């Protein structure tokens, strides 16, 4: 169920039927039970792991608050965080580091087989670990009071719309809404339905439609023209964005229907004019988490320019490592870290032509970096880029052979044109959201109050999902991270 979008929405409908029949003060219990069932549908025994981690984090949070000295507070903070990081390391990074150590030993002349643990990665491990860490850190910094109700805290950790791929919700906002007893809000519910529809359009109509082409070309780029490799890189940028932002829209919309308001996770990132702005718009919950709990504790920008740059690089390397146990993710994080170090913010608003050129170059750079994110190895990424650049051609034969991977037969041209049409629709929608008026009533505040699609966009997106949605592709790309 956790890997199937439509089953998840049916599950939500069943939960809503019970949820609003219960008294407001008891609704947290319905949410907790539903979240436990949802989690067990994917990895049943892992519920004990997330439950144990949450209980320990909850207990340690109380001890941090009760501690009378700074030394004791720090001790309990370490005691809260280190076991969580240990579990994350064991399940996600042990094999990566064991392989690296074996490679270093081999260079020194000691041949040995690396120790490999065959452990199934628990669903949402990276996401709920960061939630638990932020809870302890906020109590330590005095930003948050320790939660006295274990049930509320478990509901925060396991909240089923967000457990699989975020957003990484901060504890203060979520727990305060839960304590008050979430009630039905017609405006919030309407926002939720519209967000879910927007997410389904991105995921089912665009991301799923592009996945076959991207997988085919990335699996064997040398078998296709350089133009196909360049097109696959562009389409992967679109696929990844639509897949992940689509999930975020659906998750936030599901929460809205349950009376829970969440911060937005994406804000038209491909319209960013520079890399700083891009990271203020992409995966906002993760980038803000890394800023608050990695970059600032390292010293942030309150240090020398050299130290600031090292802090930036360390933060982006941590972001790369968070995404996966492969050198390609570290390379991707390093590219963004160095880019942020070298890039300067513009204080003046540029003209239209300069703004367009800056946006194009930023998108081009981000797309090139995504190749490392998608490739199986560093060598494969470099080879892919070399092929896309050196073998690029716009000859008729190369154009024809670059469109063929969409379907592998004579329907490829129609499939290609259909994909282009939906990408154009998304571009116009997000252009209107960024620069236009009337397409979207932009909300005020971090929680996007007043989110509303026009009737035209509602009809276009609903019709596209029903008529052109690709429902055979299940799961979300970011669930694996």
């Amino acid at each position: 169920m956790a890997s199937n979008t439509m089953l998840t929405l049916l599950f939500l409908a069943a939960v809503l039927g019970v949820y609003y029949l219960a008294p407001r003060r008891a609704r947290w219990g319905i949410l907790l039970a539903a979240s436990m069932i949802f989690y067990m549908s994917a990895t049943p025994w892992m519920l004990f792991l997330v439950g144990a981690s949450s209980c320990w984090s909850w207990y340690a949070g109380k001890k941090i608050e009760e501690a009378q000295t700074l030394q004791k507070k720090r001790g309990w903070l370490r005691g809260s965080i280190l076991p969580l990081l240990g579990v994350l390391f064991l399940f996600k990074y042990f094999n990566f580091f064991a392989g690296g150590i074996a490679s270093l030993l081999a260079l020194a002349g000691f041949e040995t087989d690396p120790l490999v643990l065959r452990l199934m990665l628990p669903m949402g491990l990276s996401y709920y670990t960061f939630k638990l860490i932020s809870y302890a850190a906020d109590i330590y910094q005095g930003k948050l009071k320790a939660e006295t109700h274990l049930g509320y805290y478990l509901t925060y950790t396991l909240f089923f719309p967000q457990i699989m791929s975020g957003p990484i919700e901060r504890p203060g906002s979520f727990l305060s809404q839960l304590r008050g007893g979430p009630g039905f809000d017609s405006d919030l519910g309407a926002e939720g339905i519209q967000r879910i529809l927007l997410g389904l359009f991105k995921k089912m109509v665009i991301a799923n439609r592009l996945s076959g082409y991207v997988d085919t070309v990335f699996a064997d780029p040398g078998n296709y023209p350089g133009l196909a490799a360049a097109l696959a890189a562009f389409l992967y940028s679109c696929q990844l964005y639509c897949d992940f932002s689509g999930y975020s829209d659906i998750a936030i919309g599901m929460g809205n229907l349950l009376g829970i308001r969440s911060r937005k996770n994406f804000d038209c990132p491909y319209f960013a004019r520079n890399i700083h702005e891009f990271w203020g718009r992409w995966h906002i919950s993760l980038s803000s988490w890394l800023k608050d709990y990695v970059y600032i504790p390292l010293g942030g920008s309150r240090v020398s320019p050299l130290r600031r740059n090292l802090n930036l690089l360390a933060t982006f390397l941590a972001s790369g490592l968070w995404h996966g146990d492969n050198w390609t993710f570290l390379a991707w994080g390093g590219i963004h870290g160095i880019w942020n170090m070298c890039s300067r913010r513009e204080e003046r608003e540029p003209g239209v032509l300069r703004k367009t050129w800056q946006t194009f170059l930023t998108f081009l750079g981000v797309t090139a970096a995504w190749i490392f994110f998608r490739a199986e190895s560093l060598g494969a990424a470099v080879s892919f880029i070399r092929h896309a650049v050196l073998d690029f051609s716009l000859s008729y034969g190369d154009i024809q052979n670059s469109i063929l991977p969409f379907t592998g037969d004579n329907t490829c041209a129609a499939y290609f044109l259909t994909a282009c049409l939906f990408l154009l629709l998304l571009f116009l929608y997000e252009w209107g959201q960024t620069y236009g008026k009337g397409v979207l009533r932009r909300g005020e505040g971090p929680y996007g109050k007043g989110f509303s699609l026009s009737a035209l966009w509602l009809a276009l997106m609903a019709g596209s999902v029903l008529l052109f949605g690709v429902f055979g592709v299940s799961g979300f790309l970011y669930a694996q991270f």
Side-chain angles (χ1 to χ4, degrees), residues 428-429 431-442 454 457:
L428 292 174
Y429 165 76
W431 182 89
Q433 193 176 17
T434 305
Y435 301 114
K437 296 179 180 180
V439 177
L440 175 71
R441 206 165 55 242
R442 292 181 64 85
S454 69
W457 284 107

Side-chain angles (χ1 to χ4, degrees), residues 236-237 240 270 278 282 332 366-374:
Y236 179 65
S237 261
L240 185 65
Y270 289 154
F278 173 81
W282 176 276
W332 170 79
V366 168
T367 296
W370 283 137
I371 295 172
F372 287 88
F373 195 87
R374 176 63 175 76

Side-chain angles (χ1 to χ4, degrees), residues 73-297:
K73 285 182 180 293
R74 286 177 178 170
W76 276 108
L77 178 66
R78 296 189 190 101
S80 171
I81 293 175
L82 289 178
L84 299 173
L85 293 177
V87 171
L88 184 64
F89 175 83
L90 182 68
F91 279 89
K92 193 168 182 178
Y93 302 110
F94 180 88
N95 292 342
F96 174 67
F97 282 97
I101 292 172
S103 298
L104 290 175
L105 290 174
L107 289 174
F110 300 97
E111 294 290 341
T112 180
D113 292 329
L115 178 61
V116 176
L117 297 180
R118 303 192 182 281
L119 299 174
M120 181 175 64
L121 187 66
M123 182 175 71
L125 175 64
S126 298
Y127 292 92
Y128 74 70
T129 298
F130 273 21
K131 289 168 75 173
L132 301 183
I133 290 174
S134 65
Y135 173 75
D138 285 354
I139 295 174
Y140 174 78
Q141 294 172 356
K143 298 178 181 178
L144 182 72
K145 292 290 185 181
E147 177 56 57
T148 58
H149 196 296
L150 178 59
Y152 290 168
Y153 190 65
L154 289 173
T155 306
Y156 161 68
T157 305
L158 285 165
F159 187 51
F160 73 89
Q162 299 176 355
I163 187 63
M164 190 166 64
S165 296
I168 306 171
E169 192 66 31
R170 300 295 176 88
S173 169
F174 187 94
L175 290 170
S176 64
Q177 294 181 76
L178 205 60
R179 288 189 210 102
F184 178 75
D185 184 321
S186 58
D187 291 336
L188 187 60
E191 291 176 24
I193 292 172
Q194 292 177 73
R195 286 193 182 277
I196 290 173
L197 181 59
L198 174 60
L200 289 175
F201 173 77
K202 291 178 180 177
K203 167 63 177 171
M204 298 296 184
V205 179
I206 299 180
N208 285 2
R209 184 168 295 273
L210 301 179
S211 64
Y213 186 93
V214 170
D215 292 344
T216 299
V217 176
F218 267 91
D220 189 9
N223 197 37
Y224 300 96
L227 174 61
L231 183 59
F234 165 75
L235 294 180
Y236 179 65
S237 261
C238 300
Q239 180 202 4
L240 185 65
Y241 168 63
C242 290
D243 190 284
F244 191 27
S245 70
Y247 173 87
S248 294
D249 288 328
I250 293 170
I252 292 170
M254 291 170 67
N256 288 350
L257 290 175
L258 292 163
I260 302 292
R261 192 179 287 278
S262 301
R263 291 175 180 265
K264 63 185 177 182
N265 207 25
F266 289 87
D267 186 17
C268 305
Y270 289 154
F271 281 89
R273 302 195 313 271
N274 55 63
I275 195 61
H276 299 294
E277 187 180 342
F278 173 81
W279 278 104
R281 293 167 172 255
W282 176 276
H283 204 347
I284 299 169
S285 64
L286 175 63
S287 56
S288 63
W289 193 99
L290 290 169
K291 177 185 177 182
D292 292 344
Y293 302 107
V294 178
Y295 179 68
I296 291 177

Side-chain angles (χ1 to χ4, degrees), residues 322-404:
W322 179 86
H323 282 89
D325 56 342
N326 195 314
W327 289 105
T328 56
F329 294 115
L330 281 172
W332 170 79
I335 290 169
H336 278 276
I338 293 170
W339 192 356
N340 272 270
M341 289 163 52
C342 298
S343 178
R344 294 184 178 181
R345 301 175 187 269
E346 283 195 18
E347 296 183 0
R348 295 181 179 179
E349 183 73 13
V352 175
L353 289 178
R354 183 174 176 82
K355 185 184 298 184
T356 302
W357 178 244
Q358 290 174 336
T359 301
F360 172 75
L361 288 180
T362 301
F363 175 77
L364 195 64
V366 168
T367 296
W370 283 137
I371 295 172
F372 287 88
F373 195 87
R374 176 63 175 76
E376 296 294 328
S377 66
L378 292 176
V382 172
S383 177
F384 188 98
I385 294 172
R386 184 188 300 118
H387 178 54
V389 174
L390 298 182
D391 299 327
F392 185 87
S393 168
L394 291 176
S395 67
Y396 177 78
D398 278 2
I399 292 174
Q400 188 178 40
N401 290 327
S402 296
I403 296 176
L404 186 64

